[in-house]
Amino acid sequence: MSALSKLKLVASKKERSVSPVIARRNKLAGKIEEQLLFATAQRDGQIYAPKRLKNVTDKETGERKTIEATKRIKEWYWTNNAGKIHLSIRYGSKTLELAKGKYAIELNTGNELLATLATIKEAVLAGELDDAISQASDKLKAGFTK
């Protein structure tokens, strides 16, 4: 008996392209995960500083090097004058409209912020914000045309 006959073989190919809707969902879910990690680190009194690889050219020798640099993350939340935490969801540089004329979520505590970010991530992956994401994506694309 050959080794291959012991395996379950199927006719399947990996899809090379992901639909734009799924790609946008995954992109936003990744950014929400960064905000979750950032907020958790702040709550615990730590610093969240993810690293990324960056290519730079040495001015003296002209040699290209890859260095590790700290990735800059902007907070999506802030505290207003009344002491409430406001959270807006961003896709690129655009703030998503969560409901008609509503762009932020009001929260009371940092723990509520973490729970809300997790809920928003679930909603994004379930496709509940697809319309808002596509509108923001269209606005971003329009900024790159002449």
Side-chain angles (χ1 to χ4, degrees):
M1 183 174 230
S2 70
L4 284 179
S5 64
K6 297 177 186 175
L7 303 175
K8 180 180 179 182
L9 302 177
V10 295
S12 178
K13 285 187 175 182
K14 181 179 178 181
E15 289 189 37
R16 296 207 180 263
S17 64
V18 178
S19 75
V21 173
I22 302 296
R24 288 187 207 121
R25 279 184 202 166
N26 292 338
K27 178 182 175 182
L28 184 57
K31 296 296 182 181
I32 292 172
E33 185 64 32
E34 280 183 350
Q35 292 294 316
L36 265 167
L37 294 171
F38 190 73
T40 303
Q42 273 190 337
R43 181 194 65 192
D44 297 340
Q46 299 174 348
I47 296 174
Y48 175 66
K51 303 287 184 190
R52 69 181 182 101
L53 296 177
K54 183 177 179 182
N55 291 324
V56 294
T57 305
D58 189 355
K59 291 181 182 178
E60 297 171 3
T61 63
E63 182 182 339
R64 294 196 67 165
K65 296 186 225 177
T66 301
I67 62 168
E68 197 173 75
T70 303
K71 185 177 176 183
R72 191 174 114 204
I73 297 179
K74 294 181 182 178
E75 296 176 350
W76 289 357
Y77 50 91
W78 64 95
T79 305
N80 68 358
N81 294 338
K84 302 281 187 179
I85 299 171
H86 286 210
L87 168 68
S88 63
I89 307 300
R90 302 182 64 83
Y91 185 82
S93 62
K94 305 296 179 194
T95 303
L96 297 184
E97 186 175 22
L98 302 172
K100 185 71 175 167
K102 310 283 182 175
Y103 292 90
I105 302 166
E106 185 175 84
L107 308 162
N108 293 319
T109 65
N111 289 333
E112 194 176 342
L113 171 68
L114 296 174
T116 302
L117 282 169
T119 303
I120 294 292
K121 183 178 175 184
E122 289 174 17
V124 166
L125 291 174
E128 294 178 32
L129 294 176
D130 283 349
D131 292 336
I133 295 170
S134 65
Q135 287 175 1
S137 177
D138 292 342
K139 287 180 185 176
L140 284 170
K141 285 179 190 175
F144 288 102
T145 58
K146 290 184 178 182

